[in-house]
Amino acid sequence: MVDHFGFFDTRTFKQRYLVADKHWQKDGGSILFYTGNEGDIVWFCNNTGFMWDVAEELKAMLVFAEHRYYGESLPFGQDSFKDSKHLNFLTSEQALADFAELIRHLKKTIPGAKGQPVIAIGGSYGGMLAAWFRMKYPHMVVGALAASAPIWQLDGMAPCGEFMKIVTKDFSKSGPHCIGLQWLTNTLHLCSPLTSEKIPTLKGWIAETWVDLAMVNYPYACNFLQPLPAWPIKEVCQYLKNPNVSDTVLLQNIFQALNVYYNYSGQAECLNISQTATSSLGSLGWSFQACTEMVMPFCANGVDDMFEPFLWDLETYSNDCFNQWGVKPRPYWMTTMYGGKDISSHSNIIFRVSLCSPGCPGTHSVDQAGLELRKAACLCLPNNGDLDPWSGGGVTEDISDTLVAINIPEGAHHLDLRAHTAYDPQSVLLSRLSEVKHMKKWIADFYSGAK
Amino acid sequence: MVDHFGFFDTRTFKQRYLVADKHWQKDGGSILFYTGNEGDIVWFCNNTGFMWDVAEELKAMLVFAEHRYYGESLPFGQDSFKDSKHLNFLTSEQALADFAELIRHLKKTIPGAKGQPVIAIGGSYGGMLAAWFRMKYPHMVVGALAASAPIWQLDGMAPCGEFMKIVTKDFSKSGPHCIGLQWLTNTLHLCSPLTSEKIPTLKGWIAETWVDLAMVNYPYACNFLQPLPAWPIKEVCQYLKNPNVSDTVLLQNIFQALNVYYNYSGQAECLNISQTATSSLGSLGWSFQACTEMVMPFCANGVDDMFEPFLWDLETYSNDCFNQWGVKPRPYWMTTMYGGKDISSHSNIIFRVSLCSPGCPGTHSVDQAGLELRKAACLCLPNNGDLDPWSGGGVTEDISDTLVAINIPEGAHHLDLRAHTAYDPQSVLLSRLSEVKHMKKWIADFYSGAK
């Protein structure tokens, strides 16, 4: 159903999902259900090795469900993003209902699936969905593993400046002058001509680039948001060490810095300021979601961080959203819907929080060089740790016996979801063991009828 | 918001709610929140004496929230029932979201309300809403009292014939021949001329009358669905004892029987076949809900019951809905949404089930005669009990320590929600004590931070 919550609109759409049942056993098995987030599900599938790793142990069928309005799951095909009328059904509630209907469908159509427990798994926004799915549809999933899920980044639950502070901290460690970036307002090698009204876009694009870099400042070369070298922030900062140069030179330097992020492969002919990450991520859809439900207040003061100061101003934000999409956000709605900080009556959710900067999730086709580089692993430790900018809005402490927070000091955004390798740091191994233990308990409880 | 689950439609509407804070205390108090069902909220308010009775003991503010599309809470005024487009927002999910937003609003605007626990209370469909509200918004309410809530009447969870069987049983006890009603197909004293295509409506109306009678077969005179004498089924059946008369006489008898229900006051000039109960109940809105989400399968075989045999045929039902409203039901959706029989992971819900035939809920203006008649109380006992037709779809056994079923053998549909009187049967007194005890524990847990 395009609209689960009304009966006027009876249109349906094709939702894409992937199933892997190599290790699945009908007798005593389980179903691991990836609650797809803002992007192509194949990409997430290839970047969620954790599920593949535990499949055999949990006798699990793997299901990866694509989120509506992303990848190939477009309710109205080409027209899906046409206007706010077509986008009306892009909400987390509809996505969760899709997941519920999909599970119902699978249990009905796959012999042996009906009597099996399902566990929701997701990272980032998908982690939020996994947690919310367990909260709202506990009859559908016996538990949820929510990795790097900033459910408390919404609706003022975390200070708006925290995120940019963490990004800045990650940069400042690569040299004392690397944070003198904020006064840049000019042009570069761009794909389309820069006009005066595009200046804010350019500035936003540059700032977003630094944010993305903080999210993928990984100790080895990999391709997650973009193909990048090891420790890309360090790489970037080598061009930005001296702010005391002429404007022309500085711009040239900035260009070199941006090139690290956007053209490490050397194949880009120009820089496209309308895109900051892999096209597997649906930035358009996310922009709409951020303008409706998923309002995450951000701000910077230029003192505690390296960005041009900007306030969190809901009214401006709201007007911008209206101009772009014809909708206005309801920032408090998510708290009303999902409980905000008051979630203690729920059960069986693991909140996995990475305190380090995010890394490149393992893939099944990771090359040897990548594997070798993992020896270095994530070197950031609590005392000198690069923080995942998203950790500020995460659940970092146990809420109850069954609402558990697992912090990984050496972890990274999504790190626990990538494939196991011989080079995983000890803390990651331990927390994986703990996660599997919880999941096994949920499954055992299901079969014993205890729940 | 008219549409909580989308951002395209930004219209809002005025929702009516009633607040009574006579016994409310800001220090250690609570909020009892009536989750309005399919009717005028003033009428429910006047028929839910239970809340008024316990207000002082629980230091409670009483809030009665009207359900959208009923009473005065019409999203589009006169046009609300115009077509399926206007009716698109009449769903249980939207209603629950209204309640959540209202609680948020009250906590924000009434000084002292913010730090207080809220308990959801409702009967019948309102009882289903109270239970579902606790399941879906446990951060909003610490618990729910769901009286006579047939949450398992939906989606084939109860046998479709059970309901009519119970109705028949209630009639058969008033005389051996009272069940010879099923072959009636002719005309009566009706308000509008009967045409051939209205015959099915007439038959449906007569059948519905018997059903309603089974729901209000109360041992004393009262006015709930209609002004009625004590034991109205007995009264009705005195006209229907002999099926072996001519068609003309039988019709005359039927007219007399219907008159008991529709014209006990003697003031009706004719019988209106488009209405079976008080106009305080929104039968139009309910008809739409029954054609979308709230699909309750009914059937009769004419052998185990006294009705003309009819099968439960979803396709016909669905087509009828489409003809009437331009919508088709999704009968399984409520199970997907609310968990069906699989609700064990939730907590703090009391399911109050009346095993007897439904009675007249107490009102604050109950007359002396009515009070006196309560001495007789509900005499139906398990061994010869008149059953509430709705008990078949209710939760009659404890599901867990905190999902509790309270059965009242001498109870009635909604009986626990009416005002306390000196004539309440012992079992009703005991179960009320038990209910209050549970509610006090929820409140105490809230204040101790235990939850």
Side-chain angles (χ1 to χ4, degrees):
Chain A
M1 294 303 306
V2 166
D3 184 11
H4 294 286
F5 304 109
F7 289 77
F8 171 68
D9 193 329
T10 56
R11 288 172 294 186
T12 57
F13 73 103
K14 283 199 174 164
Q15 182 180 19
R16 184 165 56 158
Y17 61 93
L18 314 171
V19 176
D21 58 5
K22 187 181 163 191
H23 296 293
W24 183 48
Q25 290 187 18
K26 295 191 183 180
D27 187 22
S30 64
I31 298 169
L32 303 185
F33 188 91
Y34 185 87
T35 51
N37 36 319
E38 72 282 19
D40 189 297
I41 195 62
V42 176
W43 186 67
F44 287 120
C45 179
N46 285 331
N47 283 288
T48 312
F50 172 75
M51 284 171 64
W52 301 86
D53 288 341
V54 299
E56 189 169 3
E57 190 171 357
L58 302 179
K59 303 172 190 169
M61 181 196 301
L62 306 184
V63 180
F64 295 86
E66 192 162 66
H67 192 296
R68 51 167 62 201
Y69 288 86
Y70 295 99
E72 295 182 2
S73 300
L74 303 175
F76 309 115
Q78 301 272 36
D79 290 338
S80 299
F81 290 86
K82 201 173 165 190
D83 51 35
S84 61
K85 197 174 174 183
H86 288 81
L87 281 159
N88 190 45
F89 310 100
L90 172 50
T91 64
S92 60
E93 294 92 329
Q94 298 277 11
L96 294 181
D98 288 339
F99 297 152
E101 290 286 32
L102 176 55
I103 289 174
R104 189 180 156 274
H105 171 76
L106 296 173
K107 291 207 159 192
K108 213 167 123 185
T109 53
I110 301 179
K114 198 178 174 190
Q116 295 210 341
V118 183
I119 292 174
I121 296 180
S124 200
Y125 168 50
M128 300 164 83
L129 290 173
W132 292 339
F133 195 44
R134 168 66 189 168
M135 294 181 198
K136 295 291 187 185
Y137 297 83
H139 50 288
M140 286 285 176
V141 285
V142 297
L145 171 58
S148 303
I151 58 169
W152 292 346
Q153 190 77 34
L154 300 160
D155 194 22
M157 287 182 279
C160 65
E162 203 56 36
F163 189 92
M164 292 309 200
K165 257 193 240 174
I166 298 175
V167 172
T168 303
K169 200 177 157 208
D170 291 349
F171 270 80
S172 67
K173 286 173 48 210
S174 293
H177 289 300
C178 191
I179 58 173
L181 306 169
Q182 69 266 41
W183 46 277
L184 287 162
T185 54
N186 224 317
T187 66
L188 296 156
H189 284 211
L190 306 177
C191 290
S192 55
L194 199 65
T195 56
S196 61
E197 62 267 24
K198 277 197 191 160
I199 296 286
T201 308
L202 174 73
K203 285 162 71 176
W205 174 71
I206 293 176
E208 212 178 312
T209 305
W210 311 141
V211 169
D212 285 351
L213 273 162
M215 285 173 66
V216 294
N217 191 29
Y218 203 61
Y220 46 84
C222 70
N223 178 358
F224 186 47
L225 297 179
Q226 295 276 1
L228 287 176
W231 298 117
I233 288 185
K234 209 171 170 186
E235 202 80 16
V236 161
C237 284
Q238 76 182 29
Y239 298 105
L240 302 168
K241 283 185 171 152
N242 188 3
N244 306 313
V245 292
S246 71
D247 287 3
T248 323
V249 174
L250 185 67
L251 271 181
Q252 193 57 36
N253 289 346
I254 289 286
F255 172 70
Q256 296 295 339
L258 290 170
N259 245 358
V260 171
Y261 186 73
Y262 290 106
N263 196 18
Y264 184 62
S265 66
Q267 292 172 346
E269 292 186 357
C270 58
L271 303 184
N272 177 1
I273 69 168
S274 64
Q275 196 172 23
T276 54
T278 168
S279 57
S280 294
L281 278 175
S283 58
L284 203 60
W286 185 253
S287 151
F288 179 82
Q289 290 194 265
C291 271
T292 49
E293 295 183 325
M294 307 298 294
V295 182
M296 297 182 175
F298 293 116
C299 61
N301 61 16
V303 178
D304 299 319
D305 52 67
M306 67 185 192
F307 294 88
E308 223 176 333
F310 63 96
L311 295 172
W312 169 246
D313 175 11
L314 181 59
E315 201 182 325
T316 309
Y317 184 85
S318 186
N319 290 336
D320 289 348
C321 284
F322 191 76
N323 290 335
Q324 190 184 358
W325 294 109
V327 295
K328 292 209 168 189
R330 300 203 302 267
Y332 55 84
W333 168 241
M334 289 288 89
T335 304
T336 303
M337 187 68 193
Y338 299 116
K341 297 228 167 186
D342 185 7
I343 56 175
S344 60
S345 68
H346 298 286
S347 63
N348 293 6
I349 304 175
I350 301 171
F351 294 97
R352 172 57 103 77
V353 187
S354 312
L355 297 180
C356 291
S357 71
C360 178
T363 71
H364 278 271
S365 54
V366 67
D367 57 60
Q368 263 325 103
L371 277 173
E372 283 309 307
L373 278 160
R374 288 193 191 189
K375 280 186 194 173
C378 178
L379 297 172
C380 60
L381 294 163
N383 54 340
N384 71 338
D386 286 333
L387 290 167
D388 179 352
W390 291 107
S391 62
V395 179
T396 54
E397 285 176 19
D398 286 0
I399 294 170
S400 71
D401 287 353
T402 65
L403 291 181
V404 183
I406 296 183
N407 297 319
I408 323 175
E410 295 147 319
H413 201 61
H414 285 192
L415 185 67
D416 53 324
L417 292 187
R418 71 188 172 103
H420 168 71
T421 74
Y423 313 110
D424 285 334
Q426 183 72 4
S427 69
V428 172
L429 290 177
L430 286 175
S431 53
R432 277 201 185 136
L433 282 179
S434 169
E435 283 164 16
V436 171
K437 201 175 135 195
H438 276 101
M439 290 196 279
K440 280 185 163 175
K441 186 178 182 316
W442 300 340
I443 293 170
D445 283 352
F446 175 87
Y447 281 115
S448 71
K451 265 202 277 191
Chain B
M1 295 304 305
V2 166
D3 184 12
H4 294 287
F5 304 108
F7 289 77
F8 171 68
D9 192 329
T10 57
R11 289 172 294 187
T12 58
F13 73 103
K14 283 201 173 160
Q15 182 180 19
R16 183 163 58 154
Y17 61 93
L18 314 171
V19 175
D21 59 4
K22 187 180 163 192
H23 295 292
W24 183 48
Q25 290 189 19
K26 294 190 184 182
D27 187 20
S30 64
I31 298 169
L32 303 185
F33 188 91
Y34 185 87
T35 50
N37 35 321
E38 72 281 21
D40 188 297
I41 194 63
V42 176
W43 185 67
F44 287 119
C45 179
N46 285 331
N47 282 288
T48 313
F50 172 77
M51 284 171 64
W52 300 87
D53 289 341
V54 299
E56 189 168 2
E57 190 171 358
L58 301 179
K59 306 172 189 170
M61 179 195 302
L62 306 184
V63 180
F64 296 85
E66 192 160 68
H67 192 296
R68 53 167 61 200
Y69 287 87
Y70 294 100
E72 294 181 4
S73 299
L74 303 175
F76 309 114
Q78 302 271 39
D79 290 337
S80 298
F81 289 87
K82 202 173 163 191
D83 51 36
S84 61
K85 196 174 174 181
H86 288 82
L87 281 159
N88 191 44
F89 310 100
L90 171 51
T91 64
S92 60
E93 295 92 329
Q94 297 278 10
L96 294 181
D98 287 340
F99 297 152
E101 290 286 34
L102 176 55
I103 289 174
R104 190 180 156 271
H105 171 76
L106 296 173
K107 291 208 160 191
K108 212 168 127 184
T109 54
I110 301 178
K114 198 179 173 190
Q116 294 210 343
V118 183
I119 292 173
I121 296 180
S124 198
Y125 169 50
M128 299 163 84
L129 290 173
W132 292 339
F133 195 43
R134 168 66 188 168
M135 294 181 199
K136 294 292 186 183
Y137 297 84
H139 51 287
M140 286 286 177
V141 286
V142 297
L145 172 57
S148 303
I151 58 169
W152 292 346
Q153 190 76 36
L154 300 161
D155 194 22
M157 286 183 281
C160 63
E162 203 56 34
F163 190 91
M164 291 311 199
K165 258 192 238 173
I166 298 175
V167 172
T168 302
K169 198 176 159 205
D170 291 351
F171 269 79
S172 66
K173 285 174 49 211
S174 293
H177 289 299
C178 192
I179 58 173
L181 305 170
Q182 68 265 43
W183 47 277
L184 285 161
T185 55
N186 223 316
T187 67
L188 296 154
H189 284 210
L190 306 176
C191 292
S192 55
L194 197 64
T195 57
S196 62
E197 62 266 26
K198 276 195 190 161
I199 296 286
T201 309
L202 173 74
K203 284 163 70 176
W205 174 72
I206 293 176
E208 211 177 314
T209 305
W210 312 140
V211 170
D212 285 352
L213 273 163
M215 285 173 65
V216 295
N217 191 30
Y218 204 59
Y220 46 84
C222 69
N223 178 357
F224 185 48
L225 296 178
Q226 296 277 359
L228 287 177
W231 299 117
I233 287 185
K234 210 171 168 183
E235 202 79 17
V236 162
C237 285
Q238 75 181 29
Y239 299 105
L240 302 169
K241 282 184 173 153
N242 187 2
N244 306 314
V245 292
S246 71
D247 288 3
T248 325
V249 174
L250 185 67
L251 271 181
Q252 192 57 35
N253 290 346
I254 290 285
F255 173 71
Q256 296 296 341
L258 291 170
N259 243 358
V260 171
Y261 185 74
Y262 289 106
N263 196 18
Y264 184 63
S265 67
Q267 292 171 349
E269 292 186 355
C270 58
L271 303 184
N272 178 358
I273 68 165
S274 65
Q275 197 170 25
T276 54
T278 169
S279 59
S280 294
L281 279 176
S283 57
L284 204 60
W286 185 254
S287 151
F288 180 81
Q289 290 194 266
C291 271
T292 48
E293 294 183 327
M294 306 299 292
V295 181
M296 297 182 176
F298 293 117
C299 61
N301 59 17
V303 178
D304 298 321
D305 53 66
M306 65 185 192
F307 294 88
E308 222 177 335
F310 63 97
L311 296 172
W312 169 248
D313 175 10
L314 180 59
E315 200 182 326
T316 308
Y317 184 87
S318 187
N319 290 336
D320 289 350
C321 285
F322 190 76
N323 290 336
Q324 189 184 359
W325 295 109
V327 295
K328 292 207 168 190
R330 298 203 302 266
Y332 56 83
W333 168 242
M334 289 289 89
T335 304
T336 303
M337 187 67 191
Y338 298 118
K341 296 229 167 184
D342 185 7
I343 57 175
S344 60
S345 68
H346 299 287
S347 62
N348 292 5
I349 304 175
I350 302 170
F351 294 97
R352 171 58 102 75
V353 187
S354 312
L355 297 181
C356 291
S357 72
C360 179
T363 71
H364 278 271
S365 56
V366 68
D367 56 60
Q368 261 327 100
L371 277 174
E372 282 309 307
L373 276 162
R374 288 195 193 191
K375 280 186 194 174
C378 179
L379 297 172
C380 61
L381 294 164
N383 54 340
N384 71 338
D386 286 334
L387 290 167
D388 179 353
W390 290 108
S391 61
V395 180
T396 53
E397 285 178 17
D398 286 0
I399 294 171
S400 70
D401 287 353
T402 65
L403 292 181
V404 183
I406 296 182
N407 296 319
I408 323 174
E410 294 148 319
H413 201 61
H414 284 195
L415 186 68
D416 53 323
L417 292 187
R418 70 188 174 101
H420 168 71
T421 75
Y423 312 110
D424 285 333
Q426 183 72 3
S427 70
V428 172
L429 291 176
L430 287 176
S431 54
R432 276 203 185 134
L433 283 179
S434 169
E435 283 164 16
V436 171
K437 202 174 135 194
H438 276 101
M439 290 196 279
K440 281 186 162 175
K441 185 176 184 316
W442 299 340
I443 294 170
D445 284 350
F446 175 86
Y447 282 116
S448 71
K451 261 203 277 190

